[in-house]
Amino acid sequence: MGLASSLRFRRRNNKTFLRIFMILVLSCIPGRTNLCSNHSVSTPTDLPPSNHPHIYSSLDSLDLEGYISFNDVHIAAKDFGNRYHSPPLAVLHPRSVSDISSVMKHILHLGSTSNLTVAARGHGHSLQGQALAHQGVVISMESLRSPDIKIYKGKHQQPYVDVSGGELWINILRETLKHGLSPKSWTDYLHLTVGGTLSNAGISGQAFKYGPQINNVYQLEIVTGKGEVVTCSEKQNSELFYSVLGGLGQFGIITRARIALGPAPLMVKWIRVLYSDFSAFSRDQEHLISKENAFDYVEGFVIINRTNLLNSWRSSFSPNDTTEASQFKSDGKTLYCLEVAKYFNQEEANSINQETEKLLSELSYIPSTLFSSEVPYIDFLDRVHIAEIKLRAKGLWEVPHPWLNLLIPKSRIFDFATEVFNNILTSNNNGPILIYPVNQSKWNKRTSMITPNEDIFYLVAFLPSAVPNSSGKNDLEYLLKQNQRVLSFCEAANINVKQYLPHYETQKEWRSHFGSRWETFAKRKHAYDPLAILAPGQRIFQKATHLSPIQLL
Ligand SMILES: Cc1cc2nc3c(=O)[nH]c(=O)nc-3n(C[C@H](O)[C@H](O)[C@H](O)COP(=O)(O)OP(=O)(O)OC[C@H]3O[C@@H](n4cnc5c(N)ncnc54)[C@H](O)[C@@H]3O)c2cc1C
Ligand SMILES: *[C@@H]1O[C@H](CO)[C@@H](O)[C@H](O)[C@H]1NC(C)=O
Ligand SMILES: *[C@@H]1O[C@H](CO)[C@@H](O)[C@H](O)[C@H]1NC(C)=O
Ligand SMILES: *[C@@H]1O[C@H](CO)[C@@H](O)[C@H](O)[C@H]1NC(C)=O
Ligand SMILES: *[C@@H]1O[C@H](CO)[C@@H](O)[C@H](O)[C@H]1NC(C)=O
Ligand SMILES: *[C@@H]1O[C@H](CO)[C@@H](O)[C@H](O)[C@H]1NC(C)=O
Ligand SMILES: *[C@@H]1O[C@H](CO)[C@@H](O)[C@H](O)[C@H]1NC(C)=O
């Protein structure tokens, strides 16, 4: 049923209409595939001019502390994935929370006379246009960064830091380290914003222990889709709090966040060991995440073809291991690399080797393949940035990134690995393939994030770059087909996988992604963003343009 039939229905029965309308509009996937239906970077040209000139002047005349610009829309037209391209009408550079609230209220007030949608843009490191707003308003969240990051050390309470939603995690780390403190849960890469990762989950090698980043937030300040500024936490407006965490930007804009801190270590013992047997590898990973006081970080990756061990952008391990690794002989078999880290301070410098040796003695990796190094905590956490600098220098950073992130229930990880790593993938495809388990019984289940329904599941991340190969051809199409083969296999083998950083084209797929939680998600959307103005690039809901605002009915 489309909007036309719902409109006809409305004339007959207003009250029933209200209920049905909610279901219809909120379950509607944008019919306009203008937002980047094409896998190549291109500007859609087949669209009606979506907004009248008065929209420009009305936006322009808003009284703001920051400003709105119409001539720098190209900065918000694409993302890290570099496959989707769609310029907004305007970019808001907010100086204050009330700037964001004013713009939201203004757009709400314009109602059906405009097609304007709003997307918060963190660092624009999405992969499939999630932070774009076709002919809408993009809010440059980094403009909201405040120079002083406030740290509360707390005598009776856990320490925390209050930050802007547009703050980069790397800056938070630098600031908290000055006080000997640090956030507990991370992403592999720190040049991402708080609002961006909290809208997804924020998963890395610490998540087995502390849960994802959305598990380590005490309080949020949100501008809802209705323009209201709301403070929320586990105790206060908790429904909004948990909606927004992992909520794909659908319910409000995170303007401030209170992030949990713990003591920061000085140094990190960083270890890699190799396996040729997947069962042994995953058994050891699962063993390590089940142990209290074992390693502080547990990840792993797949090496399909040994030659790529040295080329992989994430393998900037230490200057020394390159030589060691190149001396390691394998017969071209698929290898699995377990990557673990143990944090330590000066006073533990002597005991750290003993401690890690004991932990390693419980594992069954190939003995000659131990690579270890000791690095400062900040260098360890910021490791991917070093690779970024190198790739940028070679022009290999701003290329298409057809990434695929999957969450796979433990009961099927062996089936998945057997087929995907041996039969579907034939090389590492110019990028790492991460794989590690987490125990989600330690995760808060009230957030909007969708996970498989087993306590233990694996994050498997295919992170290729589509670069021109030696014959000058770009392998993007090939990589996309490969992703599709992986997904098709999961479906055929009936593996209950969930996408992380999900991206879907159809309503059926989004509903199946959310499963039994779809109704709640849609109900919350209606409560906090009734016109579906926010984060259109996720393509879950379409803005209700032709109808009067729901809350007035
Ligand atoms: C090199 C690299 C490494 C990565 N590694 C990891 C990893 O280890 N673990 C992991 O979990 N993820 C990882 N990611 C994924 C990353 O967490 C997401 O892509 C994230 O969305 C990027 O943050 P951003 O600030 O650039 O957000 P954007 O791409 O700008 O935004 C993402 C979504 O959130 C919305 N949004 C942004 N800011 C706000 C806000 N303040 N309030 C409400 N909604 C908002 C946007 O509208 C959009 O829908 C990685 C990405 C890259 C590029
Ligand atoms: C993408 O768009 C370009 C330019 O409009 C077109 O030539 C190409 O065929 C499209 N590709 C796909 C896969 O739709
Ligand atoms: C909104 O978009 C629709 C098509 O997507 C178009 O028919 C309508 O005229 C647009 N409204 C405005 C005010 O631009
Ligand atoms: C997962 O965590 C729960 C709660 O801490 C624990 O009871 C369970 O044994 C853990 N499972 C594994 C396999 O480690
Ligand atoms: C590994 O890659 C090299 C170069 O790309 C190729 O020649 C070789 O056949 C590959 N080996 C396997 C086992 O796939
Ligand atoms: C790395 O190599 C350098 C020089 O060869 C050496 O001085 C240093 O101790 C090595 N570091 C590690 C961690 O092995
Ligand atoms: C380069 O990529 C194209 C397109 O995927 C492919 O057909 C071709 O075989 C590749 N060439 C080499 C040398 O890998």
Side-chain angles (χ1 to χ4, degrees):
M1 225 191 331
L3 280 178
S5 50
S6 70
L7 272 171
R8 271 198 303 280
F9 193 78
R10 178 186 187 186
R11 273 178 227 114
R12 270 183 264 133
N13 181 336
N14 252 345
K15 271 198 187 129
T16 319
F17 164 72
L18 211 185
R19 252 172 266 125
I20 295 193
F21 168 76
M22 273 168 53
I23 295 163
L24 280 175
V25 167
L26 297 180
S27 61
C28 184
I29 276 293
R32 40 175 201 197
T33 45
N34 56 32
L35 242 183
C36 350
S37 59
N38 193 317
H39 287 321
S40 67
V41 173
S42 69
T43 313
T45 51
D46 55 334
L47 302 162
S50 57
N51 294 291
H52 294 297
H54 81 267
I55 305 281
Y56 284 89
S57 54
S58 79
L59 282 172
D60 211 19
S61 65
L62 287 174
D63 185 19
L64 303 172
E65 289 167 56
Y67 64 99
I68 285 195
S69 57
F70 299 91
N71 53 13
D72 60 355
V73 293
H74 60 279
I75 62 165
K78 59 179 189 163
D79 59 22
F80 178 80
N82 218 343
R83 291 168 49 212
Y84 293 93
H85 186 266
S86 203
L89 180 75
V91 178
L92 168 66
H93 300 266
R95 197 59 52 74
S96 65
V97 174
S98 74
D99 281 357
I100 296 177
S101 168
S102 298
V103 167
M104 286 304 300
K105 283 187 171 151
H106 180 72
I107 290 172
L108 206 69
H109 181 73
L110 289 172
S112 55
T113 68
S114 98
N115 280 349
L116 289 182
T117 53
V118 174
R121 181 181 177 87
H123 208 45
H125 275 46
S126 288
L127 296 153
Q128 286 132 321
Q130 287 91 338
L132 309 185
H134 177 73
Q135 288 301 303
V137 176
V138 163
I139 305 180
S140 167
M141 293 306 294
E142 287 188 62
S143 306
L144 196 65
R145 281 155 62 173
S146 59
D148 57 325
I149 293 176
K150 290 198 190 71
I151 293 164
Y152 175 82
K153 285 195 175 173
K155 286 201 183 81
H156 309 292
Q157 229 177 321
Q158 294 296 317
Y160 60 73
V161 60
D162 277 328
V163 294
S164 156
E167 194 56 77
L168 294 178
W169 284 100
I170 179 68
N171 296 334
I172 300 172
L173 176 62
R174 289 206 182 102
E175 223 32 62
T176 55
L177 280 181
K178 291 179 190 162
H179 302 264
L181 295 167
S182 161
K184 302 172 191 177
S185 188
W186 293 99
T187 46
D188 292 345
Y189 176 64
L190 308 189
H191 298 247
L192 305 170
T193 66
V194 167
T197 71
L198 294 186
S199 296
N200 287 292
I203 306 176
S204 184
Q206 300 86 3
F208 78 92
K209 197 165 173 176
Y210 297 108
Q213 290 181 320
I214 52 173
N215 234 43
N216 292 276
V217 183
Y218 293 139
Q219 184 180 297
L220 297 171
E221 178 188 74
I222 304 294
V223 178
T224 68
K226 297 195 267 192
E228 297 161 346
V229 183
V230 183
T231 298
C232 57
S233 65
E234 193 187 337
K235 298 230 165 74
Q236 187 185 4
N237 300 308
S238 64
E239 172 124 12
L240 178 60
F241 183 66
Y242 289 116
S243 299
V244 166
L245 294 172
L248 308 175
Q250 295 303 303
F251 309 106
I253 291 166
I254 301 168
T255 48
R256 290 195 73 73
R258 178 166 290 179
I259 312 288
L261 301 176
L266 206 60
M267 295 291 292
V268 174
K269 182 137 183 115
W270 185 7
I271 295 165
R272 286 176 176 178
V273 292
L274 298 179
Y275 296 74
S276 55
D277 176 24
F278 182 78
S279 298
F281 166 74
S282 60
R283 200 185 317 119
D284 280 357
Q285 278 191 323
E286 287 172 23
H287 168 69
L288 290 176
I289 67 158
S290 75
K291 264 180 90 98
E292 300 287 330
N293 298 320
F295 288 106
D296 295 294
Y297 162 102
V298 177
E299 286 200 10
F301 54 93
V302 186
I303 304 156
I304 305 281
N305 185 332
R306 189 180 76 79
T307 52
N308 279 314
L309 178 58
L310 309 179
N311 302 334
S312 160
W313 59 260
R314 206 168 162 280
S315 292
S316 55
F317 184 45
S318 77
N320 294 27
D321 74 315
T322 316
T323 5
E324 283 186 61
S326 65
Q327 281 156 10
F328 175 75
K329 295 277 184 284
S330 93
D331 45 8
K333 265 197 299 195
T334 299
L335 294 174
Y336 304 94
C337 180
L338 171 69
E339 180 177 68
V340 291
K342 184 94 183 147
Y343 300 162
F344 67 101
N345 287 312
Q346 210 63 60
E347 59 273 19
E348 297 145 326
N350 293 327
S351 56
I352 187 73
N353 285 337
Q354 239 177 321
E355 239 179 286
T356 53
E357 268 163 35
K358 181 165 179 306
L359 288 168
L360 288 169
S361 72
E362 296 165 11
L363 308 179
S364 45
Y365 57 89
I366 306 168
S368 63
T369 63
L370 178 90
F371 310 128
S372 120
S373 108
E374 290 173 11
V375 296
Y377 181 58
I378 188 166
D379 291 2
F380 172 72
L381 290 179
D382 203 25
R383 60 200 176 274
V384 172
H385 185 56
I386 296 162
E388 173 186 356
I389 292 167
K390 286 186 196 155
L391 288 174
R392 275 189 189 280
K394 291 188 212 156
L396 294 178
W397 186 254
E398 290 181 23
V399 297
H401 294 104
W403 288 8
L404 180 65
N405 286 271
L406 301 176
L407 307 176
I408 304 187
K410 170 192 146 158
S411 63
R412 303 301 304 276
I413 194 65
F414 183 79
D415 302 338
F416 179 90
T418 305
E419 174 65 16
V420 173
F421 302 145
N422 297 313
N423 295 335
I424 297 182
L425 302 184
T426 50
S427 78
N428 270 53
N429 297 318
N430 302 317
I433 302 166
L434 309 185
I435 176 167
Y436 55 92
V438 290
N439 183 344
Q440 72 166 327
S441 58
K442 289 175 184 151
W443 297 26
N444 195 316
K445 290 185 178 60
R446 296 174 67 190
T447 69
S448 289
M449 198 213 172
I450 299 295
T451 54
N453 52 9
E454 279 181 27
D455 275 357
I456 310 283
F457 63 80
Y458 280 76
L459 174 76
V460 181
F462 303 90
L463 311 175
S465 301
V467 297
N469 66 17
S470 50
S471 54
K473 285 262 176 58
N474 195 300
D475 49 8
L476 179 59
E477 290 302 319
Y478 172 77
L479 292 168
L480 288 169
K481 269 192 205 122
Q482 202 161 59
N483 287 348
Q484 200 46 57
R485 284 183 65 197
V486 172
L487 290 171
S488 302
F489 163 71
C490 291
E491 206 179 313
N494 211 5
I495 299 177
N496 178 25
V497 338
K498 293 294 178 191
Q499 280 190 35
Y500 177 54
L501 311 171
H503 172 76
Y504 297 106
E505 304 281 346
T506 68
Q507 171 182 7
K508 197 170 154 239
E509 289 167 308
W510 273 116
R511 279 172 174 271
S512 128
H513 174 75
F514 283 101
S516 61
R517 297 176 60 193
W518 168 256
E519 305 268 297
T520 306
F521 195 81
K523 227 191 296 167
R524 288 170 164 180
K525 179 71 172 178
H526 172 251
Y528 301 119
D529 181 23
L531 287 188
I533 291 169
L534 291 170
Q538 299 278 3
R539 303 202 279 175
I540 307 172
F541 302 104
Q542 182 171 24
K543 187 182 176 189
T545 47
H546 306 276
L547 296 150
S548 34
I550 295 171
Q551 71 269 27
L552 301 180
L553 288 168

